[in-house]
Each structure stands twice: as C-alpha cells, then as structure tokens.
C-alpha cells in the first residue's frame, strides 16, 4: 500500500541561516557518500588551494551552467526557489538557500535546479570539474553524483533526475568572464533523464544505518575528498 510522503520545503533569508538549519539533519549528498563509499561525513579541511578553488568556482559559476542547460532544453526561468511542484511545463527554477525535508525533518535535499520538462518534474544536479568530460570523472565520483541526484529527486518529489556537467577550465582565476563562459558552453553536457527507483523505505533504511554506525566512525575526512584532490593535482 502506498503511503503519503510528508515533505516540507523551506527557504531561508541568508546563507548563514540555511547553513545553521542544515546542522539538525542529514543531507542527500552526505547519504550518497555513505552509500557509495561507506564513510561518514567530516568537515572539509581548510587551507587546501585546489579544494578552495573547486568550491569557489562551483559557487560562482554553477548558476550560469544551469542557464546554459535551460537554453539547451528550451526552458524559461521561473523565480528563484519556486517549488518543483509549482513549476509550469517548460520552466526551470534555480534553488539557493533552501531545501526539502522528509522523514520528519531528518533528511534534507538542497537542489541546484528544478524543472518541468514536457510535464515531467525533474531535478538537475549541476557538477563542474577539472575533468574535461563527465565520463572522465572517476567511476566512484560518478556513482556518488548519481546517487545524490536520485535521492534529491526522491526527497523533492521529482519524477526524474539529470546530471548537468561542464569543465572547469585550468587557471580560471586568471581568465576573463567571457572566456570562462565560452569554455563552459563548449563543454556543457546535459545528461539523459533517469527514473527514480529508490523508495522512501530505502532512504529511511540508509538513514538508519548511517546513524547506527555514526559512533564507530574514525575517518578524518571522506575518500571523496581524496578523489577530488587527485583530479585537481592532475589539472
């Protein structure tokens, strides 16, 4: 028998308020890392130039990548943080300082972008990397990204999910905005839509397992960080 899923969509007045609210629950990205790597999340270390460069670029340029994806898919933009269930056919909304929660607020999903594509609600997970194409990203990272996107679709109630990828150019800090824009457009990949096969029962089981083993965790930081830094060193 199907059960009604209780979802809540919350927006916040500032990045600080959004970050504070995330402390009280577990995010889809954290659970995806645990599902693929079997590791618990730890605060990322500071003072690593390659990591700081990747994070800064993503924050600054992923909204532009979403715009490129909207153009590729023939979508128009709705106001920021329009809930996915309120999007009209042919609309996309960028999400920022907001999230969906399920399981009585225990698990959240902070979307990048949500869309209604030919009547099908879809989340778009935006990824940039020093890898020149998505298929050149390590298999472990690709699995993690797909797991994250599927969980975010499930949590938000979307029917499908897509990975949107673009190459982060080497030495981007010394490039003009026009040159970066051209590189992103030239390397844009909009993945095919995928069905959400994970169920809310699956998500709850994963969450329960994560919490039950939390006290046993001794890792200093995730293997995912090693993979990210490995790519940056090769760039």
């Amino acid at each position: 028998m199907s059960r009604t899923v209780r979802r809540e969509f919350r927006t916040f007045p500032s990045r600080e308020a959004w970050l504070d609210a995330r402390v009280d629950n577990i995010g889809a990205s954290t659970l995806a890392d645990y599902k693929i790597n079997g590791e618990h999340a730890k605060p990322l270390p500071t003072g690593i130039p390659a990591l700081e460069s990747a994070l800064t670029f993503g924050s600054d340029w992923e909204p532009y990548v979403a715009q490129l994806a909207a153009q590729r898919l023939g979508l128009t933009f709705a106001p920021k943080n329009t809930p996915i269930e309120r999007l009209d056919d042919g609309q996309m909304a960028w999400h920022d300082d907001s999230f969906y929660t399920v399981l009585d607020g225990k698990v959240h999903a902070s979307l990048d972008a949500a869309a209604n594509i030919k009547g099908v609600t879809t989340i778009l997970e935006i990824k940039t990397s020093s890898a020149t194409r998505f298929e050149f990203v390590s298999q472990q990272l690709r699995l993690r990204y797909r797991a994250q996107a599927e969980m975010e679709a499930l949590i938000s109630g979307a029917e499908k999910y897509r990975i949107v990828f673009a190459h982060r150019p080497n030495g981007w800090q010394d490039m003009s905005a026009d040159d970066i824009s051209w590189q992103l457009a030239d390397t844009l990949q909009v993945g095919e839509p995928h069905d959400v096969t994970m169920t809310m029962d699956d998500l709850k089981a994963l969450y329960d397992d994560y919490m039950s083993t939390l006290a046993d965790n001794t890792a200093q930081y995730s293997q995912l960080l090693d993979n990210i830094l490995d790519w940056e060193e090769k760039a």
Side-chain angles (χ1 to χ4, degrees):
M1 179 182 296
S2 62
R3 293 176 293 177
T4 301
V5 177
R6 294 175 55 191
R7 293 183 175 87
E8 182 182 6
F9 181 63
R10 301 176 61 189
T11 60
F12 300 90
S14 66
R15 177 52 55 102
E16 291 72 22
W18 174 73
L19 290 171
D20 287 344
R22 286 160 52 103
V23 171
D24 298 326
N25 45 55
I26 303 297
S29 59
T30 296
L31 288 179
D33 197 14
Y34 180 70
K35 179 181 180 181
I36 300 303
N37 299 316
E39 297 180 344
H40 292 78
K42 286 287 187 179
L44 292 175
T46 59
I48 299 179
L51 179 59
E52 292 177 355
S53 172
L55 294 174
T56 298
F57 185 88
S59 176
D60 290 348
W61 285 96
E62 285 181 2
Y64 179 70
V65 176
Q67 292 182 39
L68 293 173
Q71 294 171 9
R72 176 78 58 86
L73 294 167
L75 305 174
T76 60
F77 267 91
K80 185 178 77 171
N81 287 329
T82 298
I84 191 168
E85 63 273 15
R86 296 183 185 174
L87 291 171
D88 293 330
D89 188 7
Q91 286 188 321
M92 176 191 286
W94 178 253
H95 281 217
D96 198 22
D97 299 336
S98 63
F99 57 61
Y100 282 87
T101 61
V102 293
L103 302 180
D104 297 321
K106 296 184 180 70
V107 179
H108 78 259
S110 298
L111 307 185
D112 289 334
N116 185 320
I117 305 173
K118 297 182 179 179
V120 179
T121 53
T122 306
I123 72 112
L124 289 89
E125 182 66 24
I126 312 297
K127 297 298 182 186
T128 57
S129 169
S130 58
T132 54
R133 294 187 59 81
F134 185 68
E135 51 266 35
F136 298 155
V137 175
S138 72
Q139 182 182 26
Q140 187 181 43
L141 275 175
R142 282 184 278 127
L143 289 173
R144 190 263 193 185
Y145 292 159
R146 288 171 177 145
Q148 177 187 350
E150 181 173 26
M151 287 184 206
E152 290 180 352
L154 174 67
I155 293 166
S156 65
E159 299 167 84
K160 304 221 180 236
Y161 64 93
R162 292 175 181 244
I163 304 290
V164 176
F165 176 86
H167 168 56
R168 180 178 67 255
N170 302 333
W172 66 269
Q173 298 95 329
D174 300 321
M175 296 172 61
S176 69
D178 286 344
D179 285 343
I180 294 174
S181 299
W182 183 88
Q183 289 270 4
L184 292 173
D186 188 54
T187 59
L188 179 72
Q189 293 177 267
V190 179
E192 293 298 315
H194 295 276
D195 293 327
V196 179
T197 60
M198 189 179 200
T199 68
M200 201 58 65
D201 286 340
D202 295 334
L203 182 66
K204 185 178 186 306
L206 182 64
Y207 169 82
D208 288 344
D209 187 52
Y210 178 92
M211 296 303 293
S212 70
T213 58
L214 191 59
D216 299 329
N217 178 45
T218 58
Q220 293 301 305
Y221 55 85
S222 171
Q223 179 67 27
L224 175 65
L225 177 60
D226 284 338
N227 290 331
I228 292 174
L229 294 179
D230 181 55
W231 270 112
E232 300 312 314
E233 289 168 0
K234 293 176 181 176

